Amino acid sequence: MTTKHTIPSDEDLTAFIDGELTAEEAARIQTMVNEDERTAERLEFLARASLPFKQAFAPLLAEAPREKLQAMLAALPVQQSARSGPTPAFATRRRFLGALAASLAAGIAIDRAVIGIGKGFSAKDENSEWRAVVADYISLYTAETLAGPVPGREDQAAQLAGLDEKLGLSLSPEAVSLPGIDFKRALLLQYDGKPLAQIAYLDPETGPMALCIVKSDAGPKAPDLENRKGMNVVYWSNATHAFMLIGHAVADRMTAIAEGVRVRVEGFEQTRFL
């Protein structure tokens, strides 16, 4: 008879990764990882997440009320580690959500590198994995995250040019424009040691939306649709790159928007080499 395991909470799994559990608790988690595939996959996912949150919330960081944040941090309790004594509230992922909530209330976001999120597990399905990590990341965006004026075309072109060297994908503002949706910024992030382009938009009807791109040698794939973190995701790939458009708009609208981007980007890339 096969014993069914209840997957440990993300808090327990990240505490396990960070070495915060007692020997008995760690042994229990390790046994579950060895015996239960779902637990092993969730642990792998949490260990691989490495997107830089600081860049995502750079506009808030620039205007952050630092005195207020410092006062809030001073009020946070110091917890006792199972292994090495008191640890600051920002030191581990186990307190990430609470720290992020406090920081966003004060107008500051946290870079996961500061929190010390590690890597080291290999993905079983990398094409699915990167979309899951991006969805976790984008789910933190609000309309306020992307508030501010829409950059002019020259600024948009300059931001997009910064993606070319790392991704080998030259994009124009026209190629990535979305009908009725404001371009906000283009960022070069990193996932699992690979460059990841994120073009963020603000839809006046449904809120944040993003087009994300990574290099991929998995080969062409026709557009498909999935739901992650309460958002619709349209994803596809060509011979050299994988793409995903993620947002809160209904599936039909997301599919139509993604198809427009796909046609324009692929057309633009073809004309580059003529």
Side-chain angles (χ1 to χ4, degrees):
M1 180 177 177
T2 302
T3 302
K4 281 192 173 182
H5 293 286
T6 301
I7 297 179
S9 68
D10 286 357
E11 182 181 12
D12 286 342
L13 288 175
T14 51
F16 174 78
I17 295 168
D18 292 324
E20 289 190 311
L21 299 180
T22 64
E24 182 180 352
E25 291 173 328
R28 178 179 64 84
I29 297 291
Q30 185 63 61
T31 298
M32 296 182 70
V33 169
N34 293 339
E35 297 179 354
D36 183 63
E37 184 177 354
R38 295 178 307 159
T39 301
E41 289 176 350
R42 188 60 184 169
L43 181 70
E44 178 181 328
F45 171 79
L46 292 171
R48 285 175 58 84
S50 60
L51 289 173
F53 277 51
K54 182 177 179 181
Q55 285 179 282
F57 296 94
L60 291 179
L61 181 63
E63 300 175 1
R66 298 177 184 276
E67 292 182 3
K68 183 177 179 181
L69 176 62
Q70 290 169 356
M72 294 174 70
L73 293 181
L76 291 176
V78 174
Q79 298 187 8
Q80 183 76 21
S81 169
R83 292 174 48 183
S84 59
T87 306
F90 271 85
T92 67
R93 287 168 294 185
R94 193 174 192 180
R95 291 177 290 280
F96 168 69
L97 292 179
L100 180 60
S103 297
L104 289 179
I108 287 183
I110 307 165
D111 190 330
R112 278 194 171 185
V114 175
I115 305 170
I117 291 185
K119 298 188 292 184
F121 292 78
S122 59
K124 295 179 181 178
D125 180 0
E126 183 175 335
N127 286 333
S128 174
E129 186 82 4
W130 82 276
R131 298 196 306 271
V133 174
V134 169
D136 278 343
Y137 181 51
I138 299 298
S139 69
L140 296 173
Y141 279 27
T142 68
E144 288 74 20
T145 308
L146 300 173
V150 176
R153 189 196 181 284
E154 289 187 4
D155 287 340
Q156 292 183 30
Q159 292 180 37
L160 292 169
L163 310 179
D164 189 23
E165 181 181 353
K166 295 293 185 180
L167 280 173
L169 183 67
S170 182
L171 299 171
S172 69
E174 291 76 21
V176 298
S177 65
L178 306 185
I181 300 172
D182 292 335
F183 177 108
K184 286 297 185 175
R185 62 173 180 255
L187 295 174
L188 182 65
L189 307 177
Q190 179 174 287
Y191 166 70
D192 195 27
K194 298 179 180 179
L196 186 156
Q198 179 206 104
I199 306 169
Y201 307 84
L202 186 59
D203 179 8
E205 296 181 14
T206 62
M209 189 177 294
L211 173 66
C212 298
I213 309 167
V214 294
K215 283 187 175 180
S216 172
D217 56 5
K221 176 176 173 54
D224 205 347
L225 178 72
E226 64 185 1
N227 188 277
R228 293 182 182 272
K229 306 295 285 187
M231 294 173 287
N232 285 312
V233 179
V234 183
Y235 61 97
W236 69 97
S237 61
N238 58 25
T240 55
H241 294 83
F243 303 79
M244 65 179 283
L245 181 73
I246 181 170
H248 299 274
V250 297
D252 288 348
R253 183 166 176 244
M254 290 292 294
T255 301
I257 294 171
E259 179 62 15
V261 172
R262 187 183 69 82
V263 170
R264 288 193 301 275
V265 169
E266 290 186 0
F268 182 79
E269 284 299 295
Q270 290 172 2
T271 60
R272 286 180 67 203
F273 302 103
L274 293 179

